[in-house]
């Protein structure tokens, strides 16, 4: 897989170079998961997944994170699956060997035969994507309502934390 990894100041930057749109097959996504896992092997990782986040709002979040002078952050927009709707877009971000629509007419998306609807279902698939690591997926409002001690425990007990956000 054409990818370059650079780690500086505790931030791993993984640049994908697979023209024309950095689209990968299942094997490519598996390799990417390995690259991300290796980059964060000895570090904690937080991934914020925001549905319909406007770019200028993301820039404001970036500015605030950097203003803390304890962390760094990076903003990189991604190309979504088409058609673009939440259930398909969220499923496309999960490790999988193929996506399919549920045959029951619900509109749910299946990844490798597993339903991807809801945070618990996504957490199950995300945890399988990083062998040997513990992963936790939460809604942003749950993170925002955590006491400080609970937030510390969240990162102490998990290698990677996925935060799903859907409000601007």
């Amino acid at each position: 897989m054409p990818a370059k990894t650079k780690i500086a100041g505790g931030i791993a930057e993984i640049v994908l170079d697979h023209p024309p749109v950095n689209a990968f097959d299942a094997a490519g996504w598996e390799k990417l998961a390995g690259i991300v896992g290796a980059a964060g092997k000895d570090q904690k990782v937080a991934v914020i997944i925001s549905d319909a986040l406007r770019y200028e709002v993301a820039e404001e979040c970036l500015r605030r994170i950097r203003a803390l002078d304890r962390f760094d952050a990076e903003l990189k927009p991604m190309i979504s699956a088409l058609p673009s709707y939440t259930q398909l877009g969220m499923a496309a971000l999960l490790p999988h060997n193929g996506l399919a629509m549920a045959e029951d007419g619900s509109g749910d998306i299946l990844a490798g035969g597993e339903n991807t609807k809801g945070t618990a279902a996504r957490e199950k698939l995300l945890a399988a994507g990083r062998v040997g690591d513990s992963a936790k997926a939460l809604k942003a409002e749950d993170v925002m309502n955590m006491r400080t001690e609970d937030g510390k425990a969240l990162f102490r007990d998990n290698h990677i934390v996925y935060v799903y956000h859907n409000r601007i």
Side-chain angles (χ1 to χ4, degrees):
M1 162 183 285
K4 296 176 187 167
T5 304
K6 177 177 76 173
I7 300 175
I11 302 295
E13 177 181 2
I14 301 170
V15 178
L16 307 176
D17 186 16
H18 194 272
V21 293
N22 283 328
F24 300 105
D25 58 11
W29 284 112
E30 289 292 324
K31 288 179 186 174
L32 179 59
I35 291 169
V36 170
K41 183 179 178 203
D42 297 324
Q43 299 179 358
K44 303 296 182 166
V45 177
V47 177
I48 300 172
I49 302 164
S50 187
D51 187 20
L53 179 67
R54 294 173 49 120
Y55 192 82
E56 60 270 18
V57 175
E59 283 183 315
E60 176 66 16
C61 290
L62 178 75
R63 186 187 66 73
R64 288 184 183 197
I65 290 170
R66 287 183 172 165
L68 294 173
D69 201 31
R70 288 181 44 208
F71 307 104
D72 197 6
E74 187 174 337
L75 177 60
K76 287 190 176 184
M78 307 272 303
I79 295 173
S80 177
L82 295 174
S84 179
Y85 67 99
T86 298
Q87 204 49 23
L88 180 57
M90 291 295 173
L93 296 172
L94 298 168
H96 60 81
N97 290 321
L99 298 176
M101 295 212 50
E103 294 182 10
D104 61 6
S106 65
D108 290 351
I109 305 298
L110 308 177
E114 297 283 334
N115 197 314
T116 64
K117 187 174 185 178
T119 308
R122 293 179 192 140
E123 179 177 273
K124 179 180 175 186
L125 289 162
L126 289 164
R130 286 183 48 120
V131 177
D133 282 355
S134 57
K136 183 71 178 164
L138 301 142
K139 293 180 181 177
E141 57 262 22
D142 294 337
V143 174
M144 296 302 291
N145 291 328
M146 276 185 181
R147 295 183 335 220
T148 301
E149 304 81 45
D150 294 335
K152 288 179 180 179
L154 175 68
F155 281 93
R156 180 192 64 232
D157 298 341
N158 295 283
H159 295 94
I160 185 163
V161 175
Y162 296 88
V163 179
Y164 284 90
H165 175 271
N166 66 357
R167 267 191 243 145
I168 296 178

